[in-house]
Amino acid sequence: MFKVNDNYLKLPGSYLFSTVGKKSRAYQAANPEKQVISLGIGDVTQPLAPAIIEALHRAVDEMGDAKTFRGYAPDLGYEFLRNAIAKNDYADRGCRIEADEIFVSDGAKCDSSNIQEIFGLDNKIAVCDPVYPVYVDSNVMAGRTGTYDAATGMWSDVIYMPCTADNGFAPELPEKTPDLIYLCFPNNPTGATVTKAQLQEWVDYANKVGAVIIYDAAYEAYISEENVPHSIYECEGARTCAIELKSFSKNAGFTGTRLGYTVIPKELKSADVSLHALWARRHGTKYNGAPYIVQRAGEAVYSPEGKAQLKEQVKYYMDNAKIILEGLKEAGYCVSGGVNAPYIWLKTPEKMTSWEFFDYLLENANVVGTPGSGFGPSGEGYFRLTAFGSRENTIAAVERIKRI
Amino acid sequence: MFKVNDNYLKLPGSYLFSTVGKKSRAYQAANPEKQVISLGIGDVTQPLAPAIIEALHRAVDEMGDAKTFRGYAPDLGYEFLRNAIAKNDYADRGCRIEADEIFVSDGAKCDSSNIQEIFGLDNKIAVCDPVYPVYVDSNVMAGRTGTYDAATGMWSDVIYMPCTADNGFAPELPEKTPDLIYLCFPNNPTGATVTKAQLQEWVDYANKVGAVIIYDAAYEAYISEENVPHSIYECEGARTCAIELKSFSKNAGFTGTRLGYTVIPKELKSADVSLHALWARRHGTKYNGAPYIVQRAGEAVYSPEGKAQLKEQVKYYMDNAKIILEGLKEAGYCVSGGVNAPYIWLKTPEKMTSWEFFDYLLENANVVGTPGSGFGPSGEGYFRLTAFGSRENTIAAVERIKRI
């Protein structure tokens, strides 16, 4: 008789954003006359930029002609895209990353959940708390996290690095030594970042203890301050300890178009085993490439027109962030984030739990946000709003929140 | 110090098709004047059908307009596509599969390698031998296959079901009882199929011993004979023992466009645990949906125009199959397949090994095929050619093979 993967049964509840979606759909169904505004899931609302649309149309035409039709993509992704990434995201910032150290994928969510597969089950992981739930959940599914304590919301074999108001939402080096360290800056959900000097400390620490940093830079495009690093490879020594994950979802609106990439420098090794080779093997065996037309769309992100148009798009969302940040401050909320990230992190009023505030906001303001506790135990008592709505909805949501 | 996943180190060599690609590229580089024809990797060459191109352009335009822009897709895939699949691939064939039992993905390769993740590590797998290498390789990576014996090319904990000329390339029920049974009909690489009565025996067996059949129907569109089932759900009792994987790569030319789906009926359970729920959790946590524009392209596959155009496309490739099959017969080769599948399976002449024949064919006819031994130990002494080339290349390749 077949046996299921018991680790799945340890997962409490369903995936955070599925639950948020279900609750808001249920409310809308019960109250069809209400206009619910979602600032919950971090999904973009602006259309793809004209340069990207043009690139997509051109690539579609190529797929309709036998002379230019493309079948299976190269294992690592098309060179035209990897070259554009290597130049724009790395060389132009003074980071040494070769095009063949870049693995094109269908998005950072997949990469951030799949990357743990190339590591043994006996590695100890460390995560910021709160953080994007996929890091922990994918390790739970693999069986790397021990047992769950419902009272604390913590896994016995996970090292939690609290990011709280006390430390400015920047984690401190952990007391226990981890093998894999997930860092996400600008952080989802807090919107907080670290300086280059702070990140250098993490790189030095990882090299010292022999840990790998899995660095999720999905929100890099929203960095507005000078001393915040755009890539972990800006730090010295990162090539021997860091994997970087990038997404096209937030800088170019690809949440429904799907594109991302992972960087694994060739120096990153355990004894003689190269992580680059292991990931290449996984990519070749368990994946089959992002669509050609989508890789061409990704290339257009780096064209002069694409860059100019996307700068405007990022500004649009960051103006939303400012509206939320200032509006909530006026309404007396304790808020942070929203300066180097499209997320606003607020303390729930009157000691409400995160889910109590979710219901309160949904029922009284018809606004959907994301409960901070869904991102980890230290997120309890906090709440995340995103700047990815339309201007109109953002203004309306803030007005409604002010009124309650 | 971090530890790698040691299971990866057990994998012999690299992924089969990566090796084939590397060898043929090396030959071409060393012999730039030669015109190498690839009938190796099962990659299509005909452009996307006009109905699909139109659907892609329409969807691209939607993505460029804020009113019709789409962000994250629903977890299971868009309803418009799942409804089209449920109707055309199941209801119209008399199979009861609901739209919410279908999980849209970026292709059957990913699904066939990921599906093992929802099962425990102590399940015993059974595979046809030879077969598509991803089933075994993904289980090796997970640690489910024991140790590799280089002399026999076999894993100690895998049940091999030889498909040889003796049994008409149709596997027999195994002596040891498996928990997970991978079946692929029409088979890759042999091109062989089973009748509905034969498949019913497998379904009855799986229900009796409590095994799950993972049924890969990627080549279903190439079935030309009446008594060959297009779906395992044509068999009685399949809803309690079978998962079905489907691809858009071969019936619609989506190898570079990426789309597939997995069906898990809700009755498929271990004790009280539903495999549908586990896969939904995996999908929600480790995946983020196929691109909207690609899902619209998938919908067009089921439109009246799409169906008519793809029928022609399949016929084109099957005419190629006939040319290869008859040409090789004339040349004195012992061949099979090519009737319900786009693959021709040939016995290597003069007791050459599969890789010897690969080199022989590459050097003397400048034709690339795939060594049968790459698909499993019983594939040794066999060789696979695909019908996915252009007509011109197919004819030229057959002429060259005849000449040597």
Side-chain angles (χ1 to χ4, degrees), chain B residues 170-188:
Chain B
E172 288 145 48
L173 296 178
E175 283 173 27
K176 285 188 199 164
T177 306
D179 302 301
L180 305 178
I181 303 166
Y182 288 83
L183 295 179
C184 173
F185 298 118
N187 184 262
N188 173 10

Side-chain angles (χ1 to χ4, degrees), chain B residues 322-351:
Chain B
K322 208 171 168 186
I323 290 167
I324 302 173
L325 199 63
E326 292 181 356
L328 293 187
K329 268 185 200 163
E330 277 173 41
Y333 284 92
C334 178
V335 285
S336 60
V339 174
N340 294 300
Y343 294 126
I344 285 83
W345 190 237
L346 64 98
K347 208 163 165 36
T348 60
E350 294 166 24
K351 297 194 174 167

Side-chain angles (χ1 to χ4, degrees), chain A residues 52-287:
Chain A
I52 295 167
I53 293 294
E54 276 167 42
L56 282 166
H57 278 306
R58 272 198 308 274
V60 168
D61 282 333
E62 286 183 66
M63 294 297 281
D65 182 339
K67 287 191 291 298
T68 49
F69 174 79
R70 310 278 187 131
Y72 291 119
D75 271 5
L76 267 60
Y78 281 101
E79 225 172 84
F80 60 76
L81 177 56
R82 288 185 289 112
N83 286 341
I85 293 167
K87 182 186 180 304
N88 290 277
D89 288 350
Y90 296 104
D92 288 357
R93 285 187 184 128
C95 304
R96 182 169 64 86
I97 293 295
E98 306 297 329
D100 68 354
E101 295 175 320
I102 295 163
F103 296 79
V104 174
S105 76
D106 62 335
K109 182 182 178 187
C110 304
D111 284 352
S112 67
S113 60
N114 291 333
I115 193 72
Q116 47 79 26
E117 295 180 20
I118 63 170
F119 296 97
L121 291 180
D122 51 347
N123 288 285
K124 182 84 94 178
I125 71 160
V127 292
C128 293
D129 170 26
V131 84
Y132 184 48
V134 163
Y135 313 147
V136 170
D137 285 1
S138 58
N139 277 287
V140 172
M141 291 169 162
R144 212 176 269 112
T145 56
T147 51
Y148 185 69
D149 181 345
T152 61
M154 291 168 115
W155 294 90
S156 60
D157 286 350
V158 171
I159 299 171
Y160 292 87
M161 305 184 293
C163 300
T164 61
D166 290 340
N167 55 23
F169 303 104
E172 287 145 50
L173 295 179
E175 283 173 28
K176 284 188 202 164
T177 306
D179 302 301
L180 305 177
I181 303 167
Y182 288 83
L183 294 180
C184 173
F185 299 116
N187 183 262
N188 173 9
T190 68
T193 52
V194 289
T195 63
K196 191 173 160 185
Q198 282 176 303
L199 189 57
Q200 184 66 56
E201 279 180 41
W202 282 95
V203 168
D204 294 341
Y205 171 76
N207 275 321
K208 196 181 83 186
V209 302
V212 171
I213 296 174
I214 297 165
Y215 193 75
D216 186 346
Y219 298 94
E220 168 274 318
Y222 292 86
I223 293 171
S224 68
E225 293 181 319
E226 266 295 310
N227 62 345
V228 177
H230 288 251
S231 163
I232 195 166
Y233 302 114
E234 292 179 36
C235 296
E236 215 168 311
R239 286 183 59 88
T240 53
C241 71
I243 292 171
E244 185 160 285
L245 314 177
K246 282 290 289 282
S247 166
F248 287 75
S249 289
K250 309 304 162 84
N251 65 325
F254 275 39
T255 53
T257 304
R258 311 304 316 142
L259 194 67
Y261 67 84
T262 287
V263 176
I264 308 191
K266 292 196 178 158
E267 285 94 317
L268 188 41
K269 289 182 179 178
S270 163
D272 267 352
V273 181
S274 141
L275 292 184
H276 183 281
L278 295 191
W279 189 243
R281 185 67 200 239
R282 191 204 175 278
H283 230 59
T285 302
K286 293 186 75 180
Y287 184 57

Side-chain angles (χ1 to χ4, degrees), chain B residues 124-136:
Chain B
K124 182 85 95 179
I125 70 160
V127 292
C128 293
D129 170 25
V131 84
Y132 183 50
V134 164
Y135 312 147
V136 170

